[in-house]
């Protein structure tokens, strides 16, 4: 047993019905998501790995990383993946006032649009999964869709082995699951071990991997 919640409890999902936690039970479909990029050392590897399995994903990008590495963000888009907003500076909503949080999120969206003109999606994932109710309501009113997750891999947690990370993902993923990996340096070792094995396992079971 792991000491933390790998799957988002259903009671939490019911308490916040306007957030996207899981997709409808489509036929053998998994929704891969990656947080905290783009990261030169990791995101390109991730794109290459996804391509091997004809998999599409959603990348929730930190705005400042898009500013620093626009060519990677462009490549994510050109390869058919979806880009989401993860604030400009990876802010924890519970520790910042609403005006600052909204301003920082919109700054990230402006950077995404500057890098990829006419990009129409407004997907948002709060860093750490922590967001105040007023912050969420404001973002929703501005047209953002708040995307959470069904399963989180804990790939960034260095107290876990790479085998633990893989075990988490394989034991908890089902049809319609939105799963979180991280294309970050902190998660690099665990994610690079788990992701190809995860993709291979579910591909052999007939699953497809789609972007949101």
């Amino acid at each position: 047993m792991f000491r933390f919640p790998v799957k988002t409890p259903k009671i939490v999902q019911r308490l916040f019905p306007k957030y996207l936690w899981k997709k409808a039970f489509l036929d053998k479909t998994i929704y891969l998501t990656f947080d905290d990029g783009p990261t030169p050392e990791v995101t390109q590897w991730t794109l290459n790995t996804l391509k091997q399995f004809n998999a599409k994903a959603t990348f929730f990008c930190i705005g400042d990383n898009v500013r620093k590495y626009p060519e990677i963000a462009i490549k994510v888009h050109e390869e058919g993946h979806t880009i989401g907003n993860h604030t400009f500076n990876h802010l924890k909503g519970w520790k910042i006032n609403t005006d600052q949080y909204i301003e920082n999120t919109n700054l990230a969206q402006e950077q995404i649009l500057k890098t990829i003109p006419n990009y129409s999606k407004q997907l948002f994932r709060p860093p750490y999964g922590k967001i105040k109710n007023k912050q969420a309501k404001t973002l929703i009113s501005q047209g953002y869709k708040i995307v959470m997750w069904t399963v989180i891999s804990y790939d960034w947690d260095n107290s876990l082995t790479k085998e633990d990370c893989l075990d988490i993902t394989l034991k908890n993923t089902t049809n319609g699951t939105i799963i979180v990996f991280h294309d970050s340096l902190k998660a690099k070792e665990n994610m690079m071990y788990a992701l190809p094995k995860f993709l291979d396992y579910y591909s052999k079971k007939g699953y497809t991997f789609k972007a949101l």
Side-chain angles (χ1 to χ4, degrees), residues 173-199:
T173 300
T174 57
N175 285 351
T177 289
I178 298 172
I179 186 165
V180 184
F181 290 97
H182 292 76
D183 54 331
S184 66
L185 290 177
K186 191 173 183 180
K188 179 180 177 181
E189 183 176 352
N190 284 349
M191 191 275 284
M192 286 186 170
Y193 175 83
L195 180 62
K197 291 176 173 56
F198 176 88
L199 291 169

Side-chain angles (χ1 to χ4, degrees), residues 128-173:
Y128 311 99
K130 295 180 178 179
I131 186 169
K132 296 175 184 175
N133 191 45
K134 187 176 180 181
Q135 293 166 348
K137 284 184 176 180
T138 302
L139 290 174
I140 290 170
S141 74
Q142 292 183 358
Y144 289 95
K145 180 67 178 180
I146 297 178
V147 181
M148 303 301 267
W149 57 81
T150 324
V151 174
I152 190 161
S153 66
Y154 284 87
D155 49 1
W156 77 90
D157 189 338
N158 292 327
S159 70
L160 297 179
T161 67
K162 55 191 180 183
E163 290 82 8
D164 286 335
C165 182
L166 177 61
D167 194 43
I168 286 171
T169 63
L170 296 184
K171 285 185 175 178
N172 293 282
T173 300

Side-chain angles (χ1 to χ4, degrees), residues 88 183 189 205 209 212:
F88 196 84
D183 54 331
E189 183 176 352
K205 287 186 172 291
F209 309 93
L212 295 167

Side-chain angles (χ1 to χ4, degrees), residues 41-151:
E41 298 87 343
V42 186
T43 306
Q44 183 57 62
W45 178 92
T46 303
L47 291 174
N48 293 341
T49 302
L50 293 174
K51 189 180 294 184
Q52 292 175 25
F53 293 90
N54 194 30
K56 300 302 179 187
T58 303
F59 289 76
F60 287 93
C61 296
I62 295 171
D64 197 38
N65 285 349
V66 175
R67 179 189 65 81
K68 289 186 288 189
Y69 312 111
E71 69 286 352
I72 305 177
I74 291 169
K75 191 162 188 180
V76 169
H77 175 63
E78 288 179 343
E79 295 195 5
H81 306 288
T82 301
I83 290 180
N85 186 325
H86 205 45
T87 76
F88 196 84
N89 298 109
H90 203 258
L91 300 183
K92 186 177 290 187
W94 291 359
K95 292 188 174 182
I96 192 167
N97 70 54
T98 295
D99 288 344
Q100 289 176 299
Y101 194 78
I102 301 304
E103 181 181 1
N104 196 269
T105 300
N106 287 335
L107 183 62
Q109 196 69 18
E110 289 169 11
Q111 184 62 57
I112 291 170
L113 290 171
K114 181 180 178 181
T115 305
I116 306 170
N118 302 315
Y119 191 72
S120 60
K121 285 187 178 287
Q122 284 185 271
L123 301 178
F124 177 74
R125 173 173 284 158
Y128 311 99
K130 295 180 178 179
I131 186 169
K132 296 175 184 175
N133 191 45
K134 187 176 180 181
Q135 293 166 348
K137 284 184 176 180
T138 302
L139 290 174
I140 290 170
S141 74
Q142 292 183 358
Y144 289 95
K145 180 67 178 180
I146 297 178
V147 181
M148 303 301 267
W149 57 81
T150 324
V151 174

